[in-house]
Amino acid sequence: MMAKEFKIVHESEIDGTPQQVFDAATLGNSGWLWPMEVEPKLGGVGPYGSTVTVWEPPHRFANHLEGEGGFFNTLEYDISELPGGKSWLRYVHSGVFFEDWDNQYDGAAKHTAFYQHTLGQYVKYFAGKQAAFADIQGPAASSSPEAFEAVKAALGIHDSGAGGHVSLTIAGVGTVDAVVDYLDKNFVGLRTEDAMYRFFGRNAFGAVVGMTVHLFAPGADGEAAGTAWGAWLNGIYS
């Protein structure tokens, strides 16, 4: 397999200070991505066992990982201060794909936009909080072309844009009243007063539908929530 490099650049305004954004990228990953530890120093251990190559709080953070066959993966955060307690984030993800380059690039670029939006939601509404986390994967049946539409139908939303509200009852969780903070063909983001739920239509990229749960209430049980939401997700395709 031949390695082919890629570079994805995403820029966004975030309703939070550079320090809040920097902390989210380095300390608060459970709140918007998934739990990862970052050793807070130059040369420290970063995500996925990478090396921290830039550590300049609160404006710049980067890490780099190398592997066999020419593989590398680099994440860069460049954070500028804006008026009114806001920030401008330039995020760059570069690396190597070995096969199915176009599909992998398309999936990575679209995931990046969703993750960076979620980072912004975290900073605006939950800055500084750690989350009880769950990562849930759907069954094999959720890899079909129309599988993600079934999730939207179960949530009671459609492709009319973000900003609406949903209310649904999940066994083992209770009633979830949420704002639809992100909605497109492949992704849905829901936000409540003390949680964020992210839904991923990875069936479009050759995988199964998935979701993540980020709970910010004190004493929240991520494992129990994962079990409950997993039963709900699997039930859509049974």
Side-chain angles (χ1 to χ4, degrees):
M1 293 182 292
M2 182 173 292
K4 184 177 178 181
E5 295 185 10
F6 71 89
K7 184 176 183 179
I8 297 168
V9 180
H10 187 274
E11 296 185 278
S12 57
E13 180 178 296
I14 297 180
D15 194 354
T17 66
Q19 188 65 60
Q20 289 174 321
V21 177
F22 187 90
D23 288 346
T26 58
L27 302 174
N29 291 292
S30 65
W32 63 276
L33 192 59
W34 50 78
M36 292 184 292
E37 292 187 5
V38 175
E39 193 175 0
K41 64 178 183 178
L42 185 65
V45 179
Y48 322 112
S50 63
T51 299
V52 176
T53 55
V54 178
W55 184 266
E56 300 175 6
H59 295 294
R60 297 183 67 223
F61 166 64
N63 58 81
H64 180 78
L65 178 67
E66 294 186 359
E68 296 181 355
F71 172 82
F72 75 92
N73 192 72
T74 301
L75 306 177
E76 302 172 81
Y77 295 80
D78 194 336
I79 309 161
S80 303
E81 185 174 5
L82 296 177
K86 299 186 178 186
S87 301
W88 186 260
L89 171 61
R90 185 177 191 270
Y91 170 82
V92 181
H93 180 194
S94 53
V96 166
F97 294 136
F98 288 99
E99 57 185 17
D100 196 16
W101 194 94
D102 290 339
N103 187 54
Q104 288 199 59
Y105 181 86
D106 183 50
K110 290 176 178 176
H111 275 75
T112 293
F114 187 39
Y115 283 133
Q116 294 303 301
H117 167 82
T118 302
L119 185 155
Q121 292 286 290
Y122 168 77
V123 170
K124 183 174 182 178
Y125 296 100
F126 305 108
K129 294 184 178 181
Q130 295 295 324
F133 175 82
D135 182 17
I136 304 150
Q137 301 302 312
S142 69
S143 64
S144 66
E146 69 282 357
F148 198 56
E149 293 305 313
V151 170
K152 293 179 181 179
L155 293 172
I157 61 177
H158 304 282
D159 283 320
S160 56
H165 291 75
V166 299
S167 182
L168 67 158
T169 300
I170 306 296
V173 174
T175 300
V176 177
D177 291 310
V179 173
V180 182
D181 66 78
Y182 195 97
L183 177 60
D184 68 11
K185 182 179 179 180
N186 304 117
F187 304 96
V188 172
L190 301 183
R191 189 189 72 250
T192 72
E193 291 184 352
D194 57 9
M196 289 199 293
Y197 303 97
R198 311 284 102 174
F199 301 85
F200 302 85
R202 297 191 176 111
N203 56 309
F205 312 110
V208 296
V209 169
M211 67 173 292
T212 57
V213 174
H214 310 262
L215 306 176
F216 300 99
D221 188 334
E223 183 176 354
T227 298
W229 279 100
W232 175 85
L233 184 60
N234 278 271
I236 293 174
Y237 304 102
S238 62

